């Protein structure tokens, strides 16, 4: 009897209390937002001068095709373990609990750092858009563009925007799905429209914007290819997508709240990558159909960041004020869609770790009135806004960006790869909780995914000054590994604390699936 009482007290609560109204379409929108594919063309086009001899459209196409096993694995994790932060739950039950807690904190912390960048870059996107409007229409758009370069204004707009996102998630969770859906639809319409119009961008428009088109084209010859072999150069281009496309676990983070069973997760995880991948391939193909690759390569060599932003190119090519305003303001919705997805994601990982009592129980608190994880969202708010302050108005900006550039590396090395290893361990050693379906097929999928992630990691860390903007040294590795190491330390500290103060061993919580 005493044993049963201890067992019942292990979990923070019998039910998470979250709103459980996420259907397959919303799950898909969350996944597409978390993949952050809307901003991927800017990154991809900016990277062309590194791999000028790569196959541009083929690289865009392959960048998501090679990740289909990755998306399928996370689909199966979501289907099999329909719990908050399902991949964390899976890894912590298959591997040692301390490793699982490390993975949970890596996903949460790395994405708060990433979200701060998205908030910052979102204001930068508006500034770029209004700069293009100024080319076509002069004032007042030139004044607005100049206004948006002020660091305090960037901080103010970013902080207000993100605070609204968090407030909606806390106080209006029943309407969050509809709001996110509306934002996503606007973002998708703007993205597709911009992609179509990229096909019609003309050299004349670039010249009219004040750039020497012929000089840009000729500067392409000054690019120093990272790889001479076209195949390796194409992979080099694909690596620029690795900061975005592997992040298929948006829907996985809210797996306990998704209705519709396995179909919802196939659509929410696997099809989200397919849809995003098709749209990216279309966008890149359209971009190089009107302007030669040498234009983007030369712009990269000369540091013309505006020209590497498709919204700028499209707006200066189409002096139509209603259309241009829609494209400029609508492109900000690309960043809003990402903010909503990441805010959901971060809160669920902190909540899940606290749910297992490896963080203070209050972090797992779900408001009975609003049915949202209030404390977890507030942690996200505080850390993300603090990061934004550092980026915009302090001398520590460059040092923070040094750490921020490693955020994706944290998630790749100490998040995704560890979960993949957990899958291999689970299947090959029949350890822990098992997947539904053919085990040998899932083992093959996991091994292929591990190979792809390892190749990306090899490129990232082998050419870190190019892909991460940093030199790999002891300090860098310490930054990358810090959330994972912190998670391990926190697990053992919380285990000792709970055992001493509450008389329970939290190790037992990791021997079963938490009730929700």
């Amino acid at each position: 009897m005493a044993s049963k009482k201890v067992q019942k007290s292990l979990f923070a609560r019998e039910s998470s209390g979250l709103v459980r109204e996420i259907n397959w379409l919303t799950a898909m929108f969350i996944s597409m937002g978390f993949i952050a594919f809307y901003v991927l063309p800017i990154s991809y086009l900016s990277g062309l001068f590194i791999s000028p001899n790569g196959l541009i459209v083929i690289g865009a196409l392959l960048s998501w095709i090679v990740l289909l096993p990755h998306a399928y694995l996370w689909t199966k994790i979501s289907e099999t373990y329909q719990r908050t932060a399902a991949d964390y739950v899976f890894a912590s039950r298959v591997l040692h609990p301390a490793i699982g807690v490390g993975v949970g904190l890596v996903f949460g912390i790395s994405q708060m750092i990433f979200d701060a960048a998205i908030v910052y870059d979102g204001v930068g996107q508006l500034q770029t858009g209004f700069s293009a409007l100024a080319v076509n229409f002069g004032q007042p758009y030139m004044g607005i563009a100049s206004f948006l370069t002020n660091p305090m204004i960037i901080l103010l707009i970013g902080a207000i925007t993100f605070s609204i996102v968090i407030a909606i998630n806390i106080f209006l969770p029943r309407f969050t799905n509809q709001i996110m859906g509306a934002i996503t639809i606007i973002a998708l319409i703007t993205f597709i429209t911009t992609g179509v119009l990229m096909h019609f961008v003309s050299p004349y428009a670039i010249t009219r914007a004040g750039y020497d088109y012929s000089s840009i084209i000729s500067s392409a010859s000054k690019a120093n290819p990272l790889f001479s072999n076209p195949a390796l150069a194409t992979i080099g281009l694909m690596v620029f997508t690795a900061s975005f496309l592997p992040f298929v676990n948006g829907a996985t983070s809210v797996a306990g709240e998704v209705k519709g069973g396995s179909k919802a997760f196939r659509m929410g995880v696997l099809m989200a990558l397919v849809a995003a991948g098709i749209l990216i391939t279309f966008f890149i193909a359209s971009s190089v159909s009107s302007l030669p690759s040498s234009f983007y390569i030369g712009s990269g060599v000369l540091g013309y960041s505006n020209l590497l932003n498709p919204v700028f190119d499209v707006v200066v090519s189409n002096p139509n004020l209603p259309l241009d305003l829609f494209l400029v303001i609508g492109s900000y919705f690309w960043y809003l869609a990402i903010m909503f997805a990441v805010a959901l994601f971060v809160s669920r990982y902190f909540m899940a770790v606290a749910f297992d009592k490896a963080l203070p129980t209050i972090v797992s608190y779900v408001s009975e009135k609003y049915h949202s994880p209030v404390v977890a969202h507030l942690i996200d708010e505080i850390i993300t806004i603090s990061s934004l302050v550092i980026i915009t108005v302090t001398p520590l900006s460059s040092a923070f960006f040094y750490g921020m550039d490693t955020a994706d590396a944290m998630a790749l090395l100490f998040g995704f790869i560890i979960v993949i290893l957990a899958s291999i361990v689970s299947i090959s050693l029949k350890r822990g909780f098992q997947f539904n379906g053919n085990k040998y097929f899932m083992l093959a999928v996991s091994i292929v995914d591990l190979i792809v992630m390892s190749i990306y990691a090899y490129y990232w860390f082998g050419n870190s000054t190019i892909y991460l903007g940093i030199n790999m040294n002891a300090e860098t590795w310490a930054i990358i590994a810090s959330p994972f190491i912190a998670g391990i330390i926190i697990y053992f500290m919380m285990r000792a604390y709970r055992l001493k103060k509450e008389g329970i061993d939290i190790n037992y919580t990791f021997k079963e699936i938490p009730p929700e």
Side-chain angles (χ1 to χ4, degrees), residues 87-154:
D87 45 359
Y88 152 76
V89 171
F90 171 62
S92 62
R93 269 65 180 173
V94 173
L95 303 175
H96 193 281
I99 294 176
V101 173
V103 169
L105 291 192
V106 163
F107 279 137
I109 292 171
S110 67
Q111 294 317 294
M112 282 190 291
I113 296 172
F114 174 79
D115 217 10
I118 287 297
V119 174
Y120 179 86
D121 290 343
V123 182
Q125 178 66 28
L126 284 175
Q127 194 279 331
T128 300
F130 279 104
S131 295
L133 280 166
V135 172
N136 291 340
F137 306 105
Q139 293 292 0
Y141 306 105
M142 187 178 296
I144 295 173
S146 177
F147 179 71
L148 292 173
T149 62
N150 185 316
M152 289 303 298
I153 298 302
I154 295 172

Side-chain angles (χ1 to χ4, degrees), residues 302-443:
L302 295 172
Y304 291 160
S305 57
N306 273 0
L307 297 182
L308 294 167
N309 189 316
V311 171
F312 183 90
D313 297 333
V314 165
V315 169
V316 298
S317 296
N318 295 275
N320 180 311
L321 185 57
L323 173 63
D324 291 349
L325 284 172
F326 172 71
L327 293 176
V328 170
I329 296 172
S331 68
Y332 187 60
F333 281 68
W334 301 355
Y335 296 82
L336 285 176
I338 298 168
M339 287 181 216
F340 268 95
V342 176
L344 275 175
F345 179 94
V346 169
S347 66
R348 271 42 177 188
Y349 279 86
F350 278 108
M351 179 187 170
V353 176
F355 197 63
D356 286 332
K357 288 186 175 288
L359 284 176
T361 305
I362 192 172
V363 177
S364 66
Y365 168 70
V366 176
S367 167
E368 293 183 8
K369 180 177 181 180
Y370 299 112
H371 300 285
S372 62
V374 175
V375 176
H377 276 308
L378 290 177
I379 291 172
D380 185 12
E381 164 85 354
I382 292 168
I383 294 178
T384 301
I385 297 299
S386 297
S387 301
L388 186 63
V389 170
I390 293 172
I391 292 173
T392 53
V393 296
T394 77
L396 298 175
S397 176
S398 59
F400 184 81
F401 271 112
Y402 175 87
M404 187 181 70
D405 286 335
T406 67
D408 290 324
M410 290 177 189
L412 177 70
L413 201 58
F414 295 105
F416 291 121
I417 286 180
I418 290 180
V419 173
I420 296 166
L421 290 173
S423 173
I424 294 171
V425 168
S426 172
I427 298 166
S428 60
L429 300 183
K430 297 183 179 179
R431 177 177 171 182
F433 300 90
Q434 299 293 305
F435 289 113
N436 299 325
N438 188 297
K439 305 297 187 294
Y440 296 106
F441 177 72
M442 286 305 304
L443 180 61

Side-chain angles (χ1 to χ4, degrees), residues 140-182:
Y141 306 105
M142 187 178 296
I144 295 173
S146 177
F147 179 71
L148 292 173
T149 62
N150 185 316
M152 289 303 298
I153 298 302
I154 295 172
L155 174 60
L156 182 63
I157 294 174
I160 290 173
T161 302
F162 189 72
S163 297
I164 291 172
V165 170
I166 292 296
I168 289 172
N169 275 279
I170 291 177
F171 299 113
L172 299 171
R174 293 189 182 279
F175 301 100
T176 300
N177 297 340
Q178 293 91 325
I179 294 169
M180 183 185 298

Side-chain angles (χ1 to χ4, degrees), residues 37-46 191 280 283-284 287 308 310:
F37 79 95
Y38 306 101
V39 299
L40 192 152
I42 299 173
S43 174
Y44 193 85
L45 294 173
S46 298
F191 185 87
I280 290 162
F283 201 114
I284 297 301
S287 298
L308 294 167

Side-chain angles (χ1 to χ4, degrees), residues 115-281:
D115 217 10
I118 287 297
V119 174
Y120 179 86
D121 290 343
V123 182
Q125 178 66 28
L126 284 175
Q127 194 279 331
T128 300
F130 279 104
S131 295
L133 280 166
V135 172
N136 291 340
F137 306 105
Q139 293 292 0
Y141 306 105
M142 187 178 296
I144 295 173
S146 177
F147 179 71
L148 292 173
T149 62
N150 185 316
M152 289 303 298
I153 298 302
I154 295 172
L155 174 60
L156 182 63
I157 294 174
I160 290 173
T161 302
F162 189 72
S163 297
I164 291 172
V165 170
I166 292 296
I168 289 172
N169 275 279
I170 291 177
F171 299 113
L172 299 171
R174 293 189 182 279
F175 301 100
T176 300
N177 297 340
Q178 293 91 325
I179 294 169
M180 183 185 298
I183 288 171
T184 301
I185 289 170
I186 294 171
L188 284 172
I189 292 173
T190 312
F191 185 87
I192 294 170
T193 303
T194 304
V196 170
L197 292 176
M198 279 299 288
H199 179 68
F200 302 100
V201 175
S202 68
Y204 168 75
I206 302 302
T207 302
R208 193 169 59 83
Y211 296 92
D212 186 339
Y213 182 81
S214 60
S215 176
I216 293 171
I217 298 298
S218 63
S219 294
S221 62
K222 299 176 184 176
N224 294 315
L226 190 59
F227 310 99
S228 56
N229 182 287
L232 294 179
T234 301
I235 297 174
L237 284 177
M238 293 164 59
V239 176
F240 280 102
T241 71
S243 295
F244 305 95
L245 291 183
F247 290 83
V248 296
N249 50 337
T252 305
S253 68
V254 292
E257 302 159 63
V258 175
K259 301 185 299 181
S262 59
K263 176 186 175 182
F265 292 110
R266 284 195 295 272
M267 299 299 291
V269 181
L270 186 61
M271 291 309 297
L273 176 67
V274 173
I278 290 172
L279 287 172
I280 290 162
T281 306

Side-chain angles (χ1 to χ4, degrees), residues 485-497:
I485 294 170
I488 293 174
I489 294 171
I490 287 170
Y491 166 77
F492 285 110
M493 289 178 62
M494 290 300 293
R495 184 184 182 192
Y497 173 82

